Amino acid sequence: MTTLFEKIKNIIKEDLQVGMEKKDDTHPIALLNKYLRESEEETNKVAKLIERQHMLKEEFQRELTQVEEMLAKRNKQAEIALKANEMTLHETAKHEEALYQAQAERLKEAYQQTSVQLEDLEKKHREMQMKLKDMHIKRLELMGRENAIQVNKKVNSVLDHSTDGKASSRFEDTQRYMDQLETNTNPGFDRNSFDAKIAQLEKELNEKNNNK
């Protein structure tokens, strides 16, 4: 079952892979990706050759088994012909026995040679797989470093803009704008409040005069 960590790792790998493929072919990591893909293809080719070698080994074993069966059969037939004093049949059986013996020796030698070659190929294939795995790990390390560099560039860019006076200048411009809005709004409010107070005083004075 795929773990959460493996899923996250695969997502990161896919994102980084897509990002690298969009870059120029001369980009070092893009070139590394290309080399790894070619190495994977070669490793797969070797795996297929090893599979063929297994098939050849099994075929040699089948042929050897059949020849040894015929060898034992002719040997027994030669003994029977000899006991029956059938020399012609005896000689024929011994002749074919010798032919089967020669074939058996060749097949044994071929089988042994194929087995040794197969062990050597499997060992080299395992080394290729380990080397490929190591290169994949190094690629991820390099991608991680590149990603960190890109993040740091963006972070530094934001920090630089916030400390080079531009950010404070923008805040000051905004503050002045807000102050201006308040200045334009408050006098109107004060005038309205003043007019209302005078109107109220005038009303009260009129009421007093009318009550006299």
Side-chain angles (χ1 to χ4, degrees):
M1 179 180 295
T2 303
T3 64
L4 178 61
F5 174 76
E6 290 174 338
K7 289 181 179 178
I8 295 174
K9 183 178 70 172
N10 291 333
I11 291 173
I12 294 175
K13 284 173 65 178
E14 290 174 0
D15 290 343
L16 292 174
Q17 179 73 23
V18 171
M20 291 303 102
E21 289 178 350
K22 291 181 179 178
K23 295 187 176 183
D24 192 277
D25 289 340
T26 59
H27 190 281
I29 294 183
L31 292 173
L32 177 59
N33 288 337
K34 181 180 178 182
Y35 174 73
L36 285 175
R37 286 194 294 270
E38 292 174 350
S39 298
E40 287 177 348
E41 290 176 359
E42 292 302 315
T43 302
N44 291 334
K45 289 179 181 178
V46 171
K48 290 180 179 179
L49 291 173
I50 290 175
E51 184 179 355
R52 181 188 297 179
Q53 194 76 359
H54 271 289
M55 294 173 64
L56 287 171
K57 179 181 176 182
E58 292 174 359
E59 185 63 26
F60 279 129
Q61 180 61 59
R62 282 193 294 269
E63 290 289 335
L64 178 59
T65 299
Q66 292 177 5
V67 168
E68 287 179 336
E69 289 176 355
M70 292 302 299
L71 176 62
K73 182 177 180 179
R74 290 292 183 265
N75 179 267
K76 183 177 180 179
Q77 289 173 339
E79 292 178 355
I80 293 173
L82 181 62
K83 290 180 180 178
N85 200 27
E86 291 289 340
M87 301 309 297
T88 300
L89 294 177
H90 173 74
E91 291 176 2
T92 300
K94 295 300 291 183
H95 174 71
E96 292 188 5
E97 180 185 354
L99 294 177
Y100 282 123
Q101 182 65 45
Q103 287 183 354
E105 294 299 328
R106 288 177 59 189
L107 287 169
K108 285 180 182 178
E109 183 178 351
Y111 178 82
Q112 291 296 329
Q113 185 177 5
T114 303
S115 298
V116 172
Q117 291 172 343
L118 181 58
E119 290 179 5
D120 185 57
L121 288 173
E122 289 178 332
K123 179 181 177 182
K124 290 181 178 178
H125 185 246
R126 288 193 297 272
E127 292 175 355
M128 289 179 69
Q129 289 177 314
M130 293 299 296
K131 186 67 176 179
L132 192 60
K133 183 67 174 179
D134 185 56
M135 287 191 291
H136 275 297
I137 293 173
K138 288 181 179 179
R139 180 185 66 169
L140 289 176
E141 291 173 346
L142 291 173
M143 285 182 172
R145 288 176 58 187
E146 187 195 38
N147 191 61
I149 291 172
Q150 295 298 328
V151 172
N152 284 326
K153 282 183 178 180
K154 293 184 181 297
V155 171
N156 291 336
S157 176
V158 173
L159 292 177
D160 289 344
H161 282 101
S162 66
T163 57
D164 64 1
K166 292 182 180 180
S168 59
S169 176
R170 290 182 182 130
F171 280 113
E172 291 173 1
D173 292 342
T174 304
Q175 185 65 45
R176 282 195 294 270
Y177 173 74
M178 297 302 294
D179 291 341
Q180 186 65 36
L181 286 177
E182 290 177 354
T183 301
N184 293 335
T185 302
N186 290 336
F189 172 77
D190 292 340
R191 283 195 299 271
N192 294 335
S193 177
F194 177 79
D195 291 342
K197 289 178 180 180
I198 294 298
Q200 180 65 29
L201 289 173
E202 183 179 10
K203 180 180 179 182
E204 292 175 356
L205 288 173
N206 290 334
E207 290 177 351
K208 286 180 180 182
N209 291 331
N210 291 332
N211 292 331
K212 286 181 179 181

